[in-house]
């Protein structure tokens, strides 16, 4: 139950940063488990309940408040690190940034980003000195910062793989234990399916309120072929069936061959069967997508390392490979990404078809289902960035391999498309916000558009200024030095490094200072309430003393 401010102020400790007082209230230690805390709370609650002990109301409130904090995992982590003041601030701010797990992850991510930014700055500095012939080092030395990043990525992949293996082994043991205890019961259907396959009928609707199955079968989500009562056919249908067997047809067609109820049943059966087939195929595609998505990061990192090694060997002249062979690992990366996008595209199309089948089954004719325009829109949204990257890579390879004599300005034409695409998206952004119908978004429409436009201007200015300088350098190598070309890169990486360092420092140490300031402000407010201002002399009441 929620605890009032007066109740929270009645804790044992006067110091709000004390992180053991609530444990002392319940008579447990900081290493106690949730079960031990719950057991101690029940014992003390029965002992100090106002119905049994009317004079222990304040003690019962403190016990209840201590249990409310320590029984919640997030509040307990905040209390263990920041004390009482941390719990109070988490109640006002939401507590996400005060959660030690979230804070540690964000701080670690910011620190890693800062270190990686510094390594990239070092790499580009060495590359500029080597390209400008200020030093004659081997490119193996120039790529040392990237080798460090590669080693860190490979170590991260190995760590994640080991963690997954350990987690899968632990979950397997838990599943075996549940199966041995009889807690894992297979009901014959998936939890999220509405239909399940049965003997000769193909599909049995678990929620169908007609004559399919018994009540027990509907409740369990399964159905047996013996429980299914098939709808009765009309006499005309029996005549048609017998006529088909004997090879003749009835003399008159005035009577309908099938009753409307039977026709509706068969039509609904076909729709449910189509929906079930689409759902099964979608689950198959999604399962393959998940398997490939788990293995893709490892393949990306290994192929990227192979590409760097082959590029360094080619630049140093150790091998005389063509650019196509050197770029083969990079093209393999794009091929894997193409397979992932294709599976995602198929899953989205199947999901749209399933929704269309469900809408037809429910009689919603106005639902916008599969169409050429809709499929084309899904394809464009999935493949446009891959197409730009792949076309840009192919044009650069052809230019470096001297397969084409096009100008470098024309070689980088694919990179101009994202600029136009993003500008068009920002132009139509206000209309999209209004179409969503969200009152909060419409109220903050100007602020959202301003932030998006500002971010677009900053990013595009750095990216395309670097691109312009790079085209100038490639077209006229002696006209400009490489260190000047990389100035936008150095500025952008420097900003990222400074921001990430500040964020990491603030999350690691600034939170404690904020809590100290909050505690000092609360202490000052409490002192101001307790200490009354002196009454002026002209407003004092003098009571005469008796003679």
């Amino acid at each position: 139950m929620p605890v009032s401010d007066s109740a929270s102020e009645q804790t044992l400790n006067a110091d709000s940063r004390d992180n053991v007082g609530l444990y002392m209230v319940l008579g447990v230690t900081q290493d106690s488990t949730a079960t031990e805390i719950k057991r101690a709370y029940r014992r003390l609650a029965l002992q100090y309940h106002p119905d049994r002990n009317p004079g222990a109301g304040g003690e019962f409130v403190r016990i209840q408040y201590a249990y409310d904090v320590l029984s919640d995992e997030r509040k307990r982590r905040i209390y263990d690190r920041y004390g009482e003041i941390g719990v109070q601030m988490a109640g006002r701010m939401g507590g996400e940034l005060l959660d030690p797990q979230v804070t540690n992850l964000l701080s670690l991510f910011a620190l890693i980003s800062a270190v990686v930014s510094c390594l990239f700055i070092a790499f580009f500095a060495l590359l500029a000195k080597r390209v400008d012939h200020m030093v004659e080092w081997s490119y193996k030395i120039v790529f040392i910062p990237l080798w460090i990043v590669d080693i860190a990525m490979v170590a991260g992949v190995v760590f994640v793989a080991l963690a997954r293996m350990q987690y899968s082994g632990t979950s397997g043991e838990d599943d075996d234990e549940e199966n041995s205890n009889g807690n894992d019961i297979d009901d014959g259907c998936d939890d999220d399916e509405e239909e399940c396959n049965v003997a000769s009928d193909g599909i049995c609707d678990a929620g169908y309120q007609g004559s399919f199955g018994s009540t027990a079968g509907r409740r369990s989500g399964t159905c047996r072929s013996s429980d299914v009562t098939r709808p009765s056919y009309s006499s005309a249908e029996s005549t048609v069936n017998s006529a088909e067997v004997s090879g003749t047809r009835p003399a008159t067609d005035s009577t309908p061959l099938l009753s409307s109820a039977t026709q509706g049943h068969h039509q609904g059966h076909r729709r449910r069967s189509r929906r079930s087939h689409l759902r099964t195929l979608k689950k198959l595609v999604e399962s393959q997508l998940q398997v490939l998505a788990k293995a893709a990061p490892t393949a990306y990192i290994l192929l990227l390392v192979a590409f760097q090694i082959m590029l360094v060997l080619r630049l140093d002249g150790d091998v005389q490979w063509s650019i196509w062979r050197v770029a083969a690992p990079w093209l393999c990366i794009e091929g894997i990404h193409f397979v992932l996008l294709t599976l995602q595209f198929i899953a989205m199309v199947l999901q749209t078809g399933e929704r269309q089948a469900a809408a037809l089954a429910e009689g919603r004719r106005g639902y916008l289902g599969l169409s050429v325009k809709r499929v084309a829109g899904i394809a464009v949204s999935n493949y446009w960035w891959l197409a730009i990257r792949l076309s840009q890579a192919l044009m650069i390879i052809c230019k470096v391999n001297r397969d084409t004599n096009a100008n470098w300005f024309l070689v980088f034409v694919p990179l101009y498309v994202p600029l136009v695409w993003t500008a068009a998206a920002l132009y139509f952004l206000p209309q999209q916000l209004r179409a969503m119908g969200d009152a909060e978004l419409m109220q903050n429409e100007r602020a959202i558009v301003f932030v998006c436009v500002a971010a677009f201007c900053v990013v595009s200015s750095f990216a395309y200024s670097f691109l312009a300088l790079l085209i100038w350098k490639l077209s006229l190598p002696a006209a400009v030095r490489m260190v000047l070309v990389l100035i936008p890169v150095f500025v952008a990486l420097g900003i990222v490094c400074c921001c990430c360092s500040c964020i990491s420092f603030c999350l690691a140490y600034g939170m404690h200072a904020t809590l100290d300031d909050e505690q000092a402000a609360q202490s000052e407010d409490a002192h101001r309430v307790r200490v009354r201002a002196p009454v002026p002399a002209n407003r004092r009441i003098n009571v005469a003393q008796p003679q």
Side-chain angles (χ1 to χ4, degrees):
M1 66 178 184
V3 181
S4 60
D5 295 339
S6 60
S8 61
E9 293 173 0
Q10 294 178 359
T11 53
L12 278 177
N13 304 283
D15 186 7
S16 298
R17 295 295 299 275
D18 184 14
N19 57 359
V20 296
L22 298 184
Y23 291 99
M24 295 174 61
V25 171
L26 298 179
V28 295
T29 61
Q30 288 184 320
D31 299 332
S32 300
T33 61
T35 304
E36 295 174 350
I37 292 175
K38 188 174 183 180
R39 188 182 300 115
Y41 164 72
R42 288 181 176 178
R43 176 176 53 82
L44 294 175
L46 290 175
Q47 180 180 356
Y48 292 99
H49 197 276
D51 294 341
R52 291 190 176 185
N53 195 348
E59 188 70 21
F60 179 77
V61 170
R62 289 189 292 179
I63 293 171
Q64 181 65 48
Y65 175 72
Y67 179 72
D68 289 340
V69 174
L70 299 182
S71 60
D72 190 296
E73 295 183 0
R74 183 177 62 85
K75 290 182 179 179
R76 184 179 179 181
R77 290 194 300 266
I78 295 174
Y79 177 76
D80 290 340
R81 184 165 184 175
Y82 302 111
E84 178 82 14
I85 187 65
V87 177
Q88 295 177 3
M89 289 187 65
R92 293 194 297 267
M93 300 190 311
E96 287 79 8
L97 291 179
L98 290 177
D99 192 343
Q101 289 186 352
V102 177
T103 303
N104 293 336
L105 288 177
L106 292 176
S107 178
L108 180 62
F109 176 77
L111 181 61
I112 292 175
S113 301
V115 173
V116 171
S117 301
C118 292
L119 290 175
F120 273 102
I121 290 174
F123 166 70
F124 285 113
L126 294 175
L127 181 64
K129 293 174 69 67
R130 178 65 180 82
V131 172
D132 291 337
H133 298 287
M134 301 176 64
V135 294
E136 296 298 332
W137 295 336
S138 170
Y139 279 96
K140 300 180 184 67
I141 299 176
V142 174
F143 275 71
I144 285 179
L146 291 187
W147 302 140
I148 297 174
V149 176
D150 294 337
I151 293 173
M153 289 192 299
V154 172
V157 168
V158 173
F159 175 77
V160 171
L162 294 176
R164 284 181 178 176
M165 292 174 59
Q166 183 178 3
Y167 175 76
S168 61
T170 305
S171 61
E173 293 177 359
D174 295 340
D175 293 340
D176 294 339
E177 183 178 357
E178 290 181 0
N179 293 332
S180 62
N181 294 333
N183 294 331
D184 191 7
I185 300 175
D186 187 7
D187 57 356
C189 291
D190 294 338
D191 295 337
D192 59 344
E193 290 186 355
E194 297 178 0
E195 299 96 12
C196 60
N197 295 330
V198 293
S200 61
D201 293 314
I203 294 176
C204 173
D205 192 354
Y208 182 65
Q209 300 298 328
S211 58
F212 282 85
S214 59
T215 305
R218 291 196 300 269
R219 289 178 180 175
S220 62
T222 61
C223 54
R224 302 184 300 272
S225 58
S226 59
D227 295 334
V228 177
T229 59
R230 307 178 188 278
S232 60
Y233 295 93
S234 64
S235 59
E237 184 183 355
S238 302
T239 304
V240 171
N241 293 335
S242 61
E244 290 178 353
V245 172
S246 60
T248 61
R249 294 189 59 83
T252 178
D253 293 336
S254 58
T255 305
L257 298 181
L258 295 176
S259 63
S260 58
T262 306
Q263 292 178 355
H265 159 66
H266 284 304
Q267 188 176 6
H269 175 80
R270 287 193 299 271
R271 289 172 178 173
R272 290 194 300 271
S273 178
R274 180 173 178 268
R275 184 182 179 188
S276 178
H277 293 162
L278 289 173
R279 180 178 299 175
T280 304
L281 184 58
K282 187 188 75 170
K283 286 187 176 181
L284 177 61
V285 173
E286 288 179 348
S287 63
Q288 298 297 325
L289 180 61
Q290 291 177 359
V291 173
L292 187 58
K294 290 180 180 179
T298 304
Y300 287 162
I301 292 174
L302 296 179
L303 290 172
L304 183 61
V305 173
F307 171 70
Q308 294 175 10
I309 294 174
M310 296 174 68
L311 180 61
V312 168
L313 294 177
R314 179 66 174 81
L315 291 175
D316 284 337
D318 298 336
V319 294
Q320 299 299 324
W321 295 335
S322 65
I323 303 300
W324 290 99
R325 181 180 297 184
V326 174
W330 183 268
L331 298 178
C332 290
I333 292 175
E334 298 295 349
I336 295 174
H337 194 60
F338 172 76
V339 174
L340 285 172
L341 290 178
T342 302
L343 291 176
Q344 185 179 359
F345 170 72
I346 295 174
M348 294 176 66
V349 172
L350 291 175
Q351 183 178 6
T352 306
E354 181 187 354
R355 290 178 179 177
Q356 181 182 13
L360 293 176
E362 297 174 1
R364 293 185 283 117
R365 302 290 181 180
Y367 178 75
L368 180 60
L370 284 176
S371 61
V372 177
K373 183 178 179 180
R374 188 173 181 84
V375 174
I378 297 175
V380 170
S381 63
N382 271 10
Y383 291 106
W384 76 275
W385 182 235
L386 174 65
I388 290 175
R389 294 201 314 268
L390 190 58
S391 59
Q392 183 62 75
L394 293 177
M395 294 184 69
I396 292 177
I397 293 172
C398 291
K399 177 63 177 178
V400 174
N401 204 41
R402 297 179 180 178
D403 296 334
T404 179
N405 294 323
N407 190 6
W408 280 105
F409 182 82
L410 299 177
V411 170
F412 287 100
V413 164
L415 292 183
Y416 308 147
V417 177
L419 180 66
V420 180
W421 185 290
T422 309
L426 290 176
Y427 179 78
F428 293 105
L429 181 60
Q431 299 180 7
Q432 295 178 357
L433 294 177
R434 298 189 194 100
M436 291 180 181
D438 192 345
E440 185 176 357
L441 291 178
M442 294 177 64
Q443 184 178 2
N444 300 325
E445 176 184 341
R446 292 185 178 180
I448 295 174
V449 173
F450 175 77
V451 170
C452 293
V453 171
F456 169 73
C457 293
V458 172
V459 174
S460 60
S461 61
F462 282 108
Y464 287 95
S465 60
F466 166 71
L467 182 60
L469 292 172
L470 181 62
I471 294 174
W472 185 17
K473 173 67 176 178
L474 293 174
S475 301
L476 301 172
V480 62
R481 300 176 61 181
M482 191 65 186
V483 65
L484 298 178
V485 174
L486 294 176
I487 285 179
V489 178
F490 290 139
V491 174
L493 290 176
I495 293 174
V496 172
C497 182
C498 293
C499 293
C500 291
S501 301
C502 294
I503 291 174
S504 178
F505 178 80
C506 292
L507 291 175
Y509 301 101
M511 196 63 66
H512 294 279
T514 303
L515 294 173
D516 290 338
D517 295 340
E518 181 71 15
Q519 182 181 359
Q522 290 185 0
S523 301
E524 183 178 356
D525 293 341
H527 180 72
R528 188 181 297 111
V529 171
R530 289 194 301 266
V531 179
R532 294 182 178 180
V535 180
N538 57 353
R539 300 188 61 184
R540 295 178 184 176
I541 300 177
N542 297 322
V543 180
Q545 297 293 334
Q547 295 293 336

